[in-house]
Every structure is written in structure tokens, then in C-alpha cells.
Amino acid sequence: MSEQMQHAAVQEGETLLYRGLRIVCTFSAGLGGLTIFLASIVVAYSVMMRNLGLGGVRGDFELVELVCVTCASLFLPLCQLNKGHVMVDLFTLRLPQREQRRIDGIWTLCFAAVWALLCWRLTHGLSEMHEYGDKTMLLKASIWWAFVPAVFGTGLSAIVALITGLPMVSSAFRALEAR
Amino acid sequence: MDPFTIASSMVIILLLLIFVRMPIALGMGLVGAVGYSLLASPMALFAYFNTSWVDKFMSYEFAIVPLFILMGHVATRSGISSALFSTSNVWIGHLRGGLAMASVAGCAMFGSISGSSLATASTMARVALPEMRKAGYSGAISAGSLAAGGTLGILIPPSIVLIIYALLTEQNIVKLFLAATIPGILAVIGFFIAIAIYVRLFPNEAPTQPKAPLSVRLKSLGQIWHITLIFVVVLGGIYGGFFTPAEGASVGVVITLLVGFGTRKLNFRGLIDCLIDTAASSAMIFTIVFGADIFNVALALSRMPIEVADFFSGVAIAPIWILIAMIVFYLIMGCVMDSLSLILLTVPVFFPTVMALDFGLMPEQQAMWFGIITLVVVEMGLITPPVGMNLFVISSMAKDIPTSQIFRGATPFIIAEFCRIAILVSFPVLSFWLVDLVAN
């Protein structure tokens, strides 16, 4: 079965750590949403002016590109926290709940490793781009700026996946999850 | 190991991992990364990871996805759906099964500004389901028509899956949107016929309604000014060449927002919720696209897609049978996987194969035809048991209708879909006639 894993509701007795993570991830997602929203307003304005023959906003094309990678990165941690990644559970429905949760925990820890690897490599990408000093054509925005939200988003996702994955794999880490 | 063996092992291992609950994005990314390291080297993989995330998503084309998703979320919260249903209702509600037809028509109109099936099904169900139940419609026909109507969200442009297909196969998004129009209308006609036949077989499941007088009907048209405005400006602007799809989506966000604020259905708090909803639905897509990208780069390194295409263009089987085999594969996998993952996973291999076959069409026509057929076939997975997502959406909203009733209600629509697939396969021209017409 393909379905999004259940959106974790705010739970009673949630630890301070979890609540903190939820706030940071939601804030990150909201900020990402805000950038794409503001970009849509700028682009709509630009289109209107252009079609009225008054000339569009200079570099709106580049703005959209930068905003796209920014929101893609900032959206990640909340999706990781809510276990929003699509999976197929049709073939494991007969397993006991505890086993299903443990398997999901293993994959969540794999996610943590992959996000961490990606974050680490992106810091290299960031410093490379910083050295090259490439800028976009019209807005003169430095390309390395685009790496900053990417490093943040993948790094935070790695932390989220680690902290949510551990209690799923073993009850020894239950204290992370609930008071 | 030779590259072809590595690539085939990648596919098999990925399927096994997906079947044991591994998130599909993670599976494609991990298996792809291992394959990449084996086919090139671990250092090459690291170098690829340095910039691939930013390279992939610092993209004007890709920005269309979150923009259309945002527009859909704003539309969902703007109270447009109730006007759509009540207007369709006064026009066709008096026919036999008319309320179910009005639900389908409402879904089709909502689908013309939303690119998501689940959103379309749930938004329209919130309005139409109580009305149908109140009028004495059975659970089966109410749930079936809304689940099936929801699939129009993905088929009728804008469509997120079609955008991803266009990006994967480097096709023109505007042309693909146009190409999907006639198949979309066919779907509505097919669903109407399915309802008409069903209510004649089971007349007591859908009592007839009184006919609304002409004055009421004409007056009701005024209620749907907003969707007409959004549709004409956004898609009219895109098709008319006034702006790009990304610009169209931006304009759509702004107009839909003004409508929401203007009708007082949306407030500041609602807007914040829209932004966060957009984050949740887009992040899933971004991650899966990124995972698929690693997987497909590794497959491309192995040259497997080209070899498969060469093989099939050389064998003595009529091309149509290869296409039918693909359709059957999609139908089976569509029962298990979601449409986006399925397309990201298969199109990089299937597309070169299809393009190597000779159907007597121009390459661009063939690409559009295959895109539309793929979309229609995978979208059918949304209403087929055991795991049609639209059925579950309706089921979660209508707790009083047993699942068996919902499955029964979906059956006539599944039959209609089979007929439509047969028509689209038999008459490729339906998938590109409109594009050719506009181009001339």
C-alpha cells in the first residue's frame, strides 16, 4: 500500500526536546512557504507590468530559481518529523504493530545517515562555490547562498530522523520520546 | 560485475526494500547511491552529492510544482468547492443520478485549478457527500462518484504528475497540459455514462430531484465567477503564450488568495496553514524526485535504459503489445504504489523503449500520447482496491459507509476507466489533436 505515514499528532506528555523540534521544523516550513508565497507575488506583479507594457521585474526568473531551492530545503525537516515520506505497507500489514514500528525505525535511522551524508557533502559544495564566487547574471546573487538553506534543511532533517528513529528501534531510547 | 547485472540487481533490490516498508524516496536514493559507487566510484558519488541537491532544485521549471501546490491549497480553503457543487447541482441535479453527476462535474471544475487528486476528492466530498446522503443516495454511489471524480484533479491540467513527467522526459509542459484536455473531458463523459447506467440498474440508490427553474439556473452561474476567472486567466494565459507555467501559477496564487480574502472564507491564520500544508506536500515530492534522480543517474551510467530500448526495438513483437504489457504492469503496480513514485521509477526506462518503437507517429506526438496513457493508467490506481488512496480519503470522511460499499461504488467507474484506456490506446490522435490544432 502506498500511503503517507500517519501525521504524528501533538502528543500528551511529549518531551521538551520533541516540542522544540516541532517548533523549529514548523517554523522552517513556514519560512519556506513564505518565500515561495512572496516570490509568487513578485512574479505576478512582474507579469502584470510586463503585459501592460511597463517592463517586468528584473531578474524574476533567477528569484524563482533561488526560491525554489530554498523552499525545497526548508520544507524537508517537517516532512521528516511528520514521517510524511511515501511508503508501501501492504505486504507488512500482518506483522505485529511493534515489529512494524521497529522496521520503520530502522529506515528512519537510514534516513538520518543519508541526510547527514548529504549535509556534509553540501558543506563542501558550499565552500567550493564560495571560493569560485559565482554570481547569478541579473540579480548578482552569490550561488553559495543557495547552499545555506540546503545545509540547514538536510542537517536538521538528519537530527530529526535520528531523534525520532532511536525510540522506534529500541525502548532503551524511550526517554527521548515521552516523559 | 558488468553494468547490466548491477542495474538489474538495483531494480530487484529496490523492489524488495520497498515491499518491506522502506520509504520509496530513501530506497531509490540508497540503492542508487550504491549503484553509482559501483558503476563509477565512491569519490565520484561524493562529488556528485556536493552540488546535486542545489543543481536539481535551483530550477525555474521545478518551481512550478510548489507554486501549483500552493495555489491548490489556497483554493481548497477559499470555499470555492461549495459554489461549484451547488451550481452543477441546479443544472444537472434533476437527472437520474444527477447529484452524483454534479459531484463529478464539480470535481472536474475544481481539478482545473488543482493539480492533486486527493485534495480534489476531499474538498468536494466535504460539500457533496452530505448533500447526496441527505437526498437519499446510497453510500456506494456517493462514495464512488467522489473517489472517481477526485482522479480528475490529477488528469485535468494543472497536474503535478504531468509536470514531473514533462521534466523527466524533457517535453513541453504547456503542450502536455493541452494534450490532457480531451482525455479529461472523455473521463467526465465516461463517469456520467457509468452513473447513468448504474442508477438504472439500481434505481432506489439514487432518488430523482426536482428540476430547478431556469431563472435559478442562470442566477447560479454568477456563483462560479471566481473559478471561471482563475481558469481563464491562469490557463488561458499559459495556453495563449502570455506567460510561462511558473508565472501562471504565481498569478493563480495571487488571484485565488484575493478570492479567498474577498469572500471572507480565508483569513491570515488560514494563509499560514496553507503555507505549512504546501511545505508538507511539496517536501514529499522534492525528496522522492531527488531519490529518483540518484537512482536514474546510476541506471543511465549502466546504459541499461538504452540497452532495453535497443532490445525491444529489435524483437519481432508488434509495438502495440509492448505498450499493452507496460499498461498491464502499471495497472498491477498502481494497485500497490502511488502514481508519482511509479512514474519516477518507470518512465526513465519505459520512455526510451516506447520512443524506439514505431507507431507511425511523430516523436513529439508519441511522447505526449505515452505521457497521457501513463497518467491515466497510474491514476486509476487511486480508485482500485486494495489500496486506492481516493477510496481511503472518502472512507475517512464517511465513517457510516462500509468499505465494501465504497469498493462496490468504485466498480462502475473502474469499468469506465478501462473503456477510456482502450479508446486512448486505439486512437492516439485524441492525445495530441488539440495541441496540433493550437500550434497551427
Side-chain angles (χ1 to χ4, degrees), chain B residues 68-86:
Chain B
F68 269 127
I69 290 180
L70 177 59
M71 174 176 155
H73 280 299
V74 176
T76 304
R77 287 174 188 270
S78 310
I80 291 176
S81 48
S82 54
L84 293 182
F85 179 72
S86 65

mmCIF file with all atom_site columns, all heavy atoms in Angstrom, chain B residues 68-86:
data_model
loop_
_atom_site.group_PDB
_atom_site.id
_atom_site.type_symbol
_atom_site.label_atom_id
_atom_site.label_alt_id
_atom_site.label_comp_id
_atom_site.label_asym_id
_atom_site.label_entity_id
_atom_site.label_seq_id
_atom_site.pdbx_PDB_ins_code
_atom_site.Cartn_x
_atom_site.Cartn_y
_atom_site.Cartn_z
_atom_site.occupancy
_atom_site.B_iso_or_equiv
_atom_site.pdbx_formal_charge
_atom_site.auth_seq_id
_atom_site.auth_comp_id
_atom_site.auth_asym_id
_atom_site.auth_atom_id
_atom_site.pdbx_PDB_model_num
ATOM 1   N N   . PHE B 1 68 ? 2.052   25.537 -7.906  1.00 0.00 ? 68 PHE B N   1
ATOM 2   C CA  . PHE B 1 68 ? 0.716   24.991 -8.152  1.00 0.00 ? 68 PHE B CA  1
ATOM 3   C C   . PHE B 1 68 ? 0.142   24.331 -6.900  1.00 0.00 ? 68 PHE B C   1
ATOM 4   O O   . PHE B 1 68 ? -1.064  24.363 -6.668  1.00 0.00 ? 68 PHE B O   1
ATOM 5   C CB  . PHE B 1 68 ? 0.715   24.019 -9.335  1.00 0.00 ? 68 PHE B CB  1
ATOM 6   C CG  . PHE B 1 68 ? 0.415   24.683 -10.653 1.00 0.00 ? 68 PHE B CG  1
ATOM 7   C CD1 . PHE B 1 68 ? 1.263   24.524 -11.736 1.00 0.00 ? 68 PHE B CD1 1
ATOM 8   C CD2 . PHE B 1 68 ? -0.723  25.462 -10.815 1.00 0.00 ? 68 PHE B CD2 1
ATOM 9   C CE1 . PHE B 1 68 ? 0.993   25.144 -12.951 1.00 0.00 ? 68 PHE B CE1 1
ATOM 10  C CE2 . PHE B 1 68 ? -0.998  26.080 -12.029 1.00 0.00 ? 68 PHE B CE2 1
ATOM 11  C CZ  . PHE B 1 68 ? -0.134  25.923 -13.095 1.00 0.00 ? 68 PHE B CZ  1
ATOM 12  N N   . ILE B 1 69 ? 1.026   23.734 -6.090  1.00 0.00 ? 69 ILE B N   1
ATOM 13  C CA  . ILE B 1 69 ? 0.539   23.117 -4.848  1.00 0.00 ? 69 ILE B CA  1
ATOM 14  C C   . ILE B 1 69 ? -0.015  24.203 -3.922  1.00 0.00 ? 69 ILE B C   1
ATOM 15  O O   . ILE B 1 69 ? -1.085  24.047 -3.329  1.00 0.00 ? 69 ILE B O   1
ATOM 16  C CB  . ILE B 1 69 ? 1.662   22.312 -4.164  1.00 0.00 ? 69 ILE B CB  1
ATOM 17  C CG1 . ILE B 1 69 ? 1.980   21.066 -4.988  1.00 0.00 ? 69 ILE B CG1 1
ATOM 18  C CG2 . ILE B 1 69 ? 1.267   21.911 -2.743  1.00 0.00 ? 69 ILE B CG2 1
ATOM 19  C CD1 . ILE B 1 69 ? 3.058   20.195 -4.430  1.00 0.00 ? 69 ILE B CD1 1
ATOM 20  N N   . LEU B 1 70 ? 0.711   25.322 -3.838  1.00 0.00 ? 70 LEU B N   1
ATOM 21  C CA  . LEU B 1 70 ? 0.244   26.437 -3.005  1.00 0.00 ? 70 LEU B CA  1
ATOM 22  C C   . LEU B 1 70 ? -1.108  26.953 -3.512  1.00 0.00 ? 70 LEU B C   1
ATOM 23  O O   . LEU B 1 70 ? -2.044  27.157 -2.723  1.00 0.00 ? 70 LEU B O   1
ATOM 24  C CB  . LEU B 1 70 ? 1.298   27.559 -3.011  1.00 0.00 ? 70 LEU B CB  1
ATOM 25  C CG  . LEU B 1 70 ? 0.945   28.826 -2.256  1.00 0.00 ? 70 LEU B CG  1
ATOM 26  C CD1 . LEU B 1 70 ? 0.683   28.535 -0.791  1.00 0.00 ? 70 LEU B CD1 1
ATOM 27  C CD2 . LEU B 1 70 ? 2.073   29.860 -2.364  1.00 0.00 ? 70 LEU B CD2 1
ATOM 28  N N   . MET B 1 71 ? -1.211  27.090 -4.828  1.00 0.00 ? 71 MET B N   1
ATOM 29  C CA  . MET B 1 71 ? -2.472  27.561 -5.402  1.00 0.00 ? 71 MET B CA  1
ATOM 30  C C   . MET B 1 71 ? -3.614  26.602 -5.055  1.00 0.00 ? 71 MET B C   1
ATOM 31  O O   . MET B 1 71 ? -4.710  27.039 -4.676  1.00 0.00 ? 71 MET B O   1
ATOM 32  C CB  . MET B 1 71 ? -2.311  27.677 -6.922  1.00 0.00 ? 71 MET B CB  1
ATOM 33  C CG  . MET B 1 71 ? -3.567  28.009 -7.673  1.00 0.00 ? 71 MET B CG  1
ATOM 34  S SD  . MET B 1 71 ? -3.170  28.222 -9.428  1.00 0.00 ? 71 MET B SD  1
ATOM 35  C CE  . MET B 1 71 ? -4.736  27.843 -10.153 1.00 0.00 ? 71 MET B CE  1
ATOM 36  N N   . GLY B 1 72 ? -3.337  25.304 -5.151  1.00 0.00 ? 72 GLY B N   1
ATOM 37  C CA  . GLY B 1 72 ? -4.361  24.315 -4.818  1.00 0.00 ? 72 GLY B CA  1
ATOM 38  C C   . GLY B 1 72 ? -4.798  24.400 -3.366  1.00 0.00 ? 72 GLY B C   1
ATOM 39  O O   . GLY B 1 72 ? -5.987  24.324 -3.048  1.00 0.00 ? 72 GLY B O   1
ATOM 40  N N   . HIS B 1 73 ? -3.813  24.606 -2.456  1.00 0.00 ? 73 HIS B N   1
ATOM 41  C CA  . HIS B 1 73 ? -4.160  24.688 -1.035  1.00 0.00 ? 73 HIS B CA  1
ATOM 42  C C   . HIS B 1 73 ? -4.975  25.937 -0.734  1.00 0.00 ? 73 HIS B C   1
ATOM 43  O O   . HIS B 1 73 ? -5.909  25.900 0.071   1.00 0.00 ? 73 HIS B O   1
ATOM 44  C CB  . HIS B 1 73 ? -2.893  24.655 -0.170  1.00 0.00 ? 73 HIS B CB  1
ATOM 45  C CG  . HIS B 1 73 ? -2.354  23.275 0.025   1.00 0.00 ? 73 HIS B CG  1
ATOM 46  N ND1 . HIS B 1 73 ? -3.076  22.273 0.631   1.00 0.00 ? 73 HIS B ND1 1
ATOM 47  C CD2 . HIS B 1 73 ? -1.176  22.716 -0.313  1.00 0.00 ? 73 HIS B CD2 1
ATOM 48  C CE1 . HIS B 1 73 ? -2.353  21.163 0.656   1.00 0.00 ? 73 HIS B CE1 1
ATOM 49  N NE2 . HIS B 1 73 ? -1.193  21.405 0.078   1.00 0.00 ? 73 HIS B NE2 1
ATOM 50  N N   . VAL B 1 74 ? -4.599  27.046 -1.386  1.00 0.00 ? 74 VAL B N   1
ATOM 51  C CA  . VAL B 1 74 ? -5.373  28.271 -1.170  1.00 0.00 ? 74 VAL B CA  1
ATOM 52  C C   . VAL B 1 74 ? -6.798  28.070 -1.697  1.00 0.00 ? 74 VAL B C   1
ATOM 53  O O   . VAL B 1 74 ? -7.778  28.425 -1.037  1.00 0.00 ? 74 VAL B O   1
ATOM 54  C CB  . VAL B 1 74 ? -4.692  29.485 -1.847  1.00 0.00 ? 74 VAL B CB  1
ATOM 55  C CG1 . VAL B 1 74 ? -5.544  30.732 -1.707  1.00 0.00 ? 74 VAL B CG1 1
ATOM 56  C CG2 . VAL B 1 74 ? -3.321  29.734 -1.237  1.00 0.00 ? 74 VAL B CG2 1
ATOM 57  N N   . ALA B 1 75 ? -6.911  27.433 -2.886  1.00 0.00 ? 75 ALA B N   1
ATOM 58  C CA  . ALA B 1 75 ? -8.242  27.186 -3.471  1.00 0.00 ? 75 ALA B CA  1
ATOM 59  C C   . ALA B 1 75 ? -9.082  26.311 -2.541  1.00 0.00 ? 75 ALA B C   1
ATOM 60  O O   . ALA B 1 75 ? -10.279 26.539 -2.371  1.00 0.00 ? 75 ALA B O   1
ATOM 61  C CB  . ALA B 1 75 ? -8.096  26.531 -4.836  1.00 0.00 ? 75 ALA B CB  1
ATOM 62  N N   . THR B 1 76 ? -8.422  25.313 -1.926  1.00 0.00 ? 76 THR B N   1
ATOM 63  C CA  . THR B 1 76 ? -9.144  24.400 -1.046  1.00 0.00 ? 76 THR B CA  1
ATOM 64  C C   . THR B 1 76 ? -9.781  25.139 0.118   1.00 0.00 ? 76 THR B C   1
ATOM 65  O O   . THR B 1 76 ? -10.870 24.811 0.570   1.00 0.00 ? 76 THR B O   1
ATOM 66  C CB  . THR B 1 76 ? -8.157  23.335 -0.504  1.00 0.00 ? 76 THR B CB  1
ATOM 67  O OG1 . THR B 1 76 ? -7.550  22.702 -1.613  1.00 0.00 ? 76 THR B OG1 1
ATOM 68  C CG2 . THR B 1 76 ? -8.860  22.305 0.342   1.00 0.00 ? 76 THR B CG2 1
ATOM 69  N N   . ARG B 1 77 ? -9.070  26.175 0.611   1.00 0.00 ? 77 ARG B N   1
ATOM 70  C CA  . ARG B 1 77 ? -9.564  26.899 1.771   1.00 0.00 ? 77 ARG B CA  1
ATOM 71  C C   . ARG B 1 77 ? -10.369 28.133 1.402   1.00 0.00 ? 77 ARG B C   1
ATOM 72  O O   . ARG B 1 77 ? -10.716 28.921 2.273   1.00 0.00 ? 77 ARG B O   1
ATOM 73  C CB  . ARG B 1 77 ? -8.385  27.322 2.658   1.00 0.00 ? 77 ARG B CB  1
ATOM 74  C CG  . ARG B 1 77 ? -7.776  26.162 3.402   1.00 0.00 ? 77 ARG B CG  1
ATOM 75  C CD  . ARG B 1 77 ? -6.532  26.614 4.131   1.00 0.00 ? 77 ARG B CD  1
ATOM 76  N NE  . ARG B 1 77 ? -5.823  25.483 4.694   1.00 0.00 ? 77 ARG B NE  1
ATOM 77  C CZ  . ARG B 1 77 ? -6.037  25.009 5.913   1.00 0.00 ? 77 ARG B CZ  1
ATOM 78  N NH1 . ARG B 1 77 ? -6.909  25.573 6.694   1.00 0.00 ? 77 ARG B NH1 1
ATOM 79  N NH2 . ARG B 1 77 ? -5.343  23.980 6.347   1.00 0.00 ? 77 ARG B NH2 1
ATOM 80  N N   . SER B 1 78 ? -10.636 28.331 0.099   1.00 0.00 ? 78 SER B N   1
ATOM 81  C CA  . SER B 1 78 ? -11.346 29.561 -0.284  1.00 0.00 ? 78 SER B CA  1
ATOM 82  C C   . SER B 1 78 ? -12.841 29.360 -0.425  1.00 0.00 ? 78 SER B C   1
ATOM 83  O O   . SER B 1 78 ? -13.531 30.253 -0.916  1.00 0.00 ? 78 SER B O   1
ATOM 84  C CB  . SER B 1 78 ? -10.809 30.098 -1.605  1.00 0.00 ? 78 SER B CB  1
ATOM 85  O OG  . SER B 1 78 ? -9.433  30.167 -1.546  1.00 0.00 ? 78 SER B OG  1
ATOM 86  N N   . GLY B 1 79 ? -13.356 28.179 -0.095  1.00 0.00 ? 79 GLY B N   1
ATOM 87  C CA  . GLY B 1 79 ? -14.789 27.954 -0.170  1.00 0.00 ? 79 GLY B CA  1
ATOM 88  C C   . GLY B 1 79 ? -15.320 27.903 -1.590  1.00 0.00 ? 79 GLY B C   1
ATOM 89  O O   . GLY B 1 79 ? -16.507 28.072 -1.830  1.00 0.00 ? 79 GLY B O   1
ATOM 90  N N   . ILE B 1 80 ? -14.416 27.651 -2.569  1.00 0.00 ? 80 ILE B N   1
ATOM 91  C CA  . ILE B 1 80 ? -14.858 27.602 -3.963  1.00 0.00 ? 80 ILE B CA  1
ATOM 92  C C   . ILE B 1 80 ? -15.707 26.358 -4.213  1.00 0.00 ? 80 ILE B C   1
ATOM 93  O O   . ILE B 1 80 ? -16.667 26.385 -4.977  1.00 0.00 ? 80 ILE B O   1
ATOM 94  C CB  . ILE B 1 80 ? -13.620 27.615 -4.897  1.00 0.00 ? 80 ILE B CB  1
ATOM 95  C CG1 . ILE B 1 80 ? -12.947 28.983 -4.838  1.00 0.00 ? 80 ILE B CG1 1
ATOM 96  C CG2 . ILE B 1 80 ? -13.995 27.265 -6.319  1.00 0.00 ? 80 ILE B CG2 1
ATOM 97  C CD1 . ILE B 1 80 ? -11.667 29.086 -5.625  1.00 0.00 ? 80 ILE B CD1 1
ATOM 98  N N   . SER B 1 81 ? -15.351 25.262 -3.502  1.00 0.00 ? 81 SER B N   1
ATOM 99  C CA  . SER B 1 81 ? -15.966 23.975 -3.824  1.00 0.00 ? 81 SER B CA  1
ATOM 100 C C   . SER B 1 81 ? -17.478 23.973 -3.631  1.00 0.00 ? 81 SER B C   1
ATOM 101 O O   . SER B 1 81 ? -18.203 23.371 -4.420  1.00 0.00 ? 81 SER B O   1
ATOM 102 C CB  . SER B 1 81 ? -15.321 22.871 -3.003  1.00 0.00 ? 81 SER B CB  1
ATOM 103 O OG  . SER B 1 81 ? -15.257 23.255 -1.653  1.00 0.00 ? 81 SER B OG  1
ATOM 104 N N   . SER B 1 82 ? -17.985 24.677 -2.601  1.00 0.00 ? 82 SER B N   1
ATOM 105 C CA  . SER B 1 82 ? -19.429 24.617 -2.370  1.00 0.00 ? 82 SER B CA  1
ATOM 106 C C   . SER B 1 82 ? -20.191 25.301 -3.509  1.00 0.00 ? 82 SER B C   1
ATOM 107 O O   . SER B 1 82 ? -21.237 24.819 -3.945  1.00 0.00 ? 82 SER B O   1
ATOM 108 C CB  . SER B 1 82 ? -19.785 25.246 -1.020  1.00 0.00 ? 82 SER B CB  1
ATOM 109 O OG  . SER B 1 82 ? -19.279 26.537 -0.946  1.00 0.00 ? 82 SER B OG  1
ATOM 110 N N   . ALA B 1 83 ? -19.643 26.401 -4.034  1.00 0.00 ? 83 ALA B N   1
ATOM 111 C CA  . ALA B 1 83 ? -20.285 27.067 -5.164  1.00 0.00 ? 83 ALA B CA  1
ATOM 112 C C   . ALA B 1 83 ? -20.273 26.160 -6.392  1.00 0.00 ? 83 ALA B C   1
ATOM 113 O O   . ALA B 1 83 ? -21.256 26.102 -7.141  1.00 0.00 ? 83 ALA B O   1
ATOM 114 C CB  . ALA B 1 83 ? -19.566 28.377 -5.477  1.00 0.00 ? 83 ALA B CB  1
ATOM 115 N N   . LEU B 1 84 ? -19.171 25.432 -6.579  1.00 0.00 ? 84 LEU B N   1
ATOM 116 C CA  . LEU B 1 84 ? -19.072 24.553 -7.744  1.00 0.00 ? 84 LEU B CA  1
ATOM 117 C C   . LEU B 1 84 ? -20.147 23.481 -7.695  1.00 0.00 ? 84 LEU B C   1
ATOM 118 O O   . LEU B 1 84 ? -20.807 23.193 -8.687  1.00 0.00 ? 84 LEU B O   1
ATOM 119 C CB  . LEU B 1 84 ? -17.698 23.867 -7.784  1.00 0.00 ? 84 LEU B CB  1
ATOM 120 C CG  . LEU B 1 84 ? -16.504 24.762 -8.035  1.00 0.00 ? 84 LEU B CG  1
ATOM 121 C CD1 . LEU B 1 84 ? -15.238 23.926 -8.093  1.00 0.00 ? 84 LEU B CD1 1
ATOM 122 C CD2 . LEU B 1 84 ? -16.692 25.518 -9.328  1.00 0.00 ? 84 LEU B CD2 1
ATOM 123 N N   . PHE B 1 85 ? -20.315 22.881 -6.502  1.00 0.00 ? 85 PHE B N   1
ATOM 124 C CA  . PHE B 1 85 ? -21.286 21.799 -6.386  1.00 0.00 ? 85 PHE B CA  1
ATOM 125 C C   . PHE B 1 85 ? -22.698 22.329 -6.550  1.00 0.00 ? 85 PHE B C   1
ATOM 126 O O   . PHE B 1 85 ? -23.505 21.762 -7.278  1.00 0.00 ? 85 PHE B O   1
ATOM 127 C CB  . PHE B 1 85 ? -21.142 21.070 -5.057  1.00 0.00 ? 85 PHE B CB  1
ATOM 128 C CG  . PHE B 1 85 ? -22.135 19.964 -4.886  1.00 0.00 ? 85 PHE B CG  1
ATOM 129 C CD1 . PHE B 1 85 ? -22.015 18.797 -5.614  1.00 0.00 ? 85 PHE B CD1 1
ATOM 130 C CD2 . PHE B 1 85 ? -23.206 20.097 -4.020  1.00 0.00 ? 85 PHE B CD2 1
ATOM 131 C CE1 . PHE B 1 85 ? -22.934 17.773 -5.480  1.00 0.00 ? 85 PHE B CE1 1
ATOM 132 C CE2 . PHE B 1 85 ? -24.134 19.088 -3.877  1.00 0.00 ? 85 PHE B CE2 1
ATOM 133 C CZ  . PHE B 1 85 ? -23.995 17.921 -4.615  1.00 0.00 ? 85 PHE B CZ  1
ATOM 134 N N   . SER B 1 86 ? -23.018 23.466 -5.902  1.00 0.00 ? 86 SER B N   1
ATOM 135 C CA  . SER B 1 86 ? -24.415 23.919 -5.962  1.00 0.00 ? 86 SER B CA  1
ATOM 136 C C   . SER B 1 86 ? -24.776 24.355 -7.379  1.00 0.00 ? 86 SER B C   1
ATOM 137 O O   . SER B 1 86 ? -25.900 24.125 -7.837  1.00 0.00 ? 86 SER B O   1
ATOM 138 C CB  . SER B 1 86 ? -24.673 25.018 -4.935  1.00 0.00 ? 86 SER B CB  1
ATOM 139 O OG  . SER B 1 86 ? -23.921 26.149 -5.241  1.00 0.00 ? 86 SER B OG  1
#
